[in-house]
């Protein structure tokens, strides 16, 4: 069960990354955060990679990097934008839907099949997403579901959840054909390069924000580097679906951070919804 330890650590540092990103987005442009944070993630990962050594790689690694990296550039831009325009406790729990999509993408990409108990977990995740927006029920029983699509931040995060269900599989391909550290460094290097034209096109007039805010950007990058390294180690021991499912427990931590640090309202509904979604994830993982 060593994979579970690394997956839980991934969830914890993923939540810290979300909180530090949300805090920085109060004063910084979203695309600058997305770009520079990835640069710092690479800076933290490269020395570790040099210590452990560069593994042997093959053509499948480069295919995984090209496809997974390109999709991650899109998802990362959407992710940061969602955090900027919507509540942390409303958007982050939606990435818990990634394991739901993985039930379809994993068998297709890495030939990993799930168990019959996954149906129960899926149902719990859907119920949790409904409860997340329960305050909207006064407008009708289907209002909480409509709220997911009416809120731009929620729509962006749903797109992120789907894209990540694809990229998580390419992560495993990349790790298997290199090493956890090498894949992490290569992926974030790809993201840093890929995010530059997006940041330049949308926010080049705000590049003067970077130097005065190097410290918070470094913190985001550090949490990025730690979380991705633990995740890539975990996927070498078990199914991608299980690792990502446990990783999504970060949603519960983020809801608490959103309430106590950013004073976001609706804690009862959002905490209950996130908890149900996480329980569904646990069912998918352990049964």
């Amino acid at each position: 069960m060593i994979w579970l330890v690394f997956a839980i650590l991934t969830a914890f540092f993923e939540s810290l990354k979300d909180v530090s990103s949300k805090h920085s987005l109060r004063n910084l442009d979203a695309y600058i955060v997305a770009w520079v944070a990835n640069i710092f993630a690479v800076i933290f990962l490269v020395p570790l990679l040099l210590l452990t050594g560069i593994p042997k790689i093959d053509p499948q690694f480069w295919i995984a990097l090209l496809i997974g990296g390109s999709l991650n550039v899109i998802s990362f831009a959407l992710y940061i934008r969602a955090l900027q325009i919507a509540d942390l406790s409303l958007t982050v729990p939606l990435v818990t839907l990634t394991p739901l999509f993985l039930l379809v993408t994993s068998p297709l990409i890495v030939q990993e099949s799930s168990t019959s108990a996954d149906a129960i977990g899926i149902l719990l995740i859907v119920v949790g997403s409904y409860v997340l927006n329960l305050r909207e029920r006064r407008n009708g029983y289907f209002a909480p579901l409509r709220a997911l699509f009416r809120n731009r931040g929620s729509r962006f995060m749903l797109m992120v959840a789907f894209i990540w269900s694809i990229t998580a599989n390419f992560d495993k391909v990349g790790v298997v054909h290199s090493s956890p550290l090498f894949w992490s460094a290569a992926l974030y290097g790809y993201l840093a390069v890929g995010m530059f034209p997006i940041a330049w096109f949308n926010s080049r007039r705000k590049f003067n924000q970077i130097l005065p805010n190097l410290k918070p950007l470094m913190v985001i990058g550090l949490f990025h580097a730690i979380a991705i390294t633990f995740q890539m180690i975990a996927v070498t021991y078990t199914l991608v679906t299980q690792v990502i499912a446990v990783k999504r427990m970060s949603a519960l931590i983020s809801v608490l951070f959103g309430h106590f640090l950013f004073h976001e309202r609706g804690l009862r509904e959002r905490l209950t919804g996130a908890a149900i979604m996480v329980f569904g994830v646990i069912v998918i993982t352990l049964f």
Side-chain angles (χ1 to χ4, degrees):
M1 295 293 284
I2 189 171
W3 73 268
L4 186 58
V5 175
F6 285 115
I8 291 172
L9 287 171
T10 299
F12 178 72
F13 284 101
E14 184 76 6
S15 181
L16 291 179
K17 180 208 72 176
D18 292 336
V19 171
S20 57
S21 298
K22 179 72 174 179
H23 179 73
S24 296
L25 288 169
R26 288 177 165 181
N27 305 310
L28 290 172
D29 179 80
Y31 298 107
I32 288 177
V33 171
W35 173 48
V36 180
N38 282 305
I39 293 176
F40 280 118
V42 175
I43 291 173
F44 286 119
L45 286 167
V46 167
L48 295 175
L49 178 62
L50 294 177
L51 287 174
T52 58
I54 297 176
K56 181 181 178 181
I57 57 177
D58 57 38
Q60 290 193 55
F61 169 87
W62 298 110
I63 294 172
L65 183 62
L66 177 62
I67 299 174
S70 299
L71 289 173
N72 267 304
V73 169
I74 298 170
S75 67
F76 202 73
L78 290 171
Y79 186 86
I80 290 294
R81 183 62 177 153
L83 291 182
Q84 185 181 44
I85 65 177
D87 286 354
L88 189 71
S89 55
L90 184 61
T91 53
V92 172
L94 292 176
V95 297
T96 315
L97 293 170
T98 300
L100 171 65
F101 300 131
L102 275 165
L103 296 177
V104 177
T105 60
S106 284
L108 293 175
I109 299 174
V110 290
Q111 290 75 53
E112 291 183 352
S113 300
S114 302
T115 67
S116 57
D118 295 330
I120 299 174
I122 291 170
L123 178 62
L124 289 169
I125 291 172
V126 173
V127 170
S129 66
Y130 177 87
V131 174
L132 203 65
N133 289 282
L134 201 58
R135 297 179 73 186
E136 299 284 336
R137 198 177 73 83
R138 61 182 179 272
N139 298 319
Y141 283 100
F142 293 101
L145 298 179
R146 289 198 300 268
L148 292 177
F149 298 95
R150 205 164 50 235
N151 183 293
R152 271 209 312 159
S154 296
R155 290 200 303 271
F156 287 161
M157 204 60 87
L158 281 172
M159 294 170 64
V160 169
F162 177 71
I163 294 173
W164 280 355
S165 75
I166 300 172
T167 60
N169 293 293
F170 284 104
D171 285 341
K172 180 150 191 175
V173 174
V175 169
V176 168
H177 293 277
S178 59
S179 71
L181 269 177
F182 188 83
W183 172 256
S184 301
L187 179 61
Y188 277 113
Y190 194 105
L191 282 171
V193 173
M195 285 301 304
F196 174 72
I198 297 175
W200 178 262
F201 181 79
N202 291 282
S203 310
R204 60 182 177 274
R205 295 181 180 178
K206 299 178 182 179
F207 274 22
N208 58 354
Q209 295 179 351
I210 297 175
L211 287 178
N213 294 281
L214 282 179
K215 185 176 179 179
L217 290 169
M218 287 177 65
V219 170
I220 299 172
L222 177 62
F223 290 147
H224 263 309
I226 296 173
I228 192 67
T229 300
F230 284 143
Q231 176 184 333
M232 297 313 161
I233 293 173
V235 297
T236 63
Y237 290 98
T238 190
L239 301 178
V240 174
T241 308
Q242 292 182 320
V243 174
I244 300 302
V246 175
K247 178 183 177 180
R248 294 302 165 232
M249 292 178 66
S250 64
L252 192 58
I253 304 171
S254 295
V255 166
L256 293 173
F257 279 139
H259 176 74
F260 292 109
L261 296 182
F262 304 115
H263 309 293
E264 296 175 359
R265 294 182 294 177
L267 177 65
R268 180 183 300 175
E269 296 87 356
R270 293 177 182 180
L271 188 58
T272 302
I276 294 172
M277 294 173 84
V278 169
F279 185 63
V281 164
I282 293 172
V283 171
I284 290 174
T285 305
L286 300 181
F287 294 94

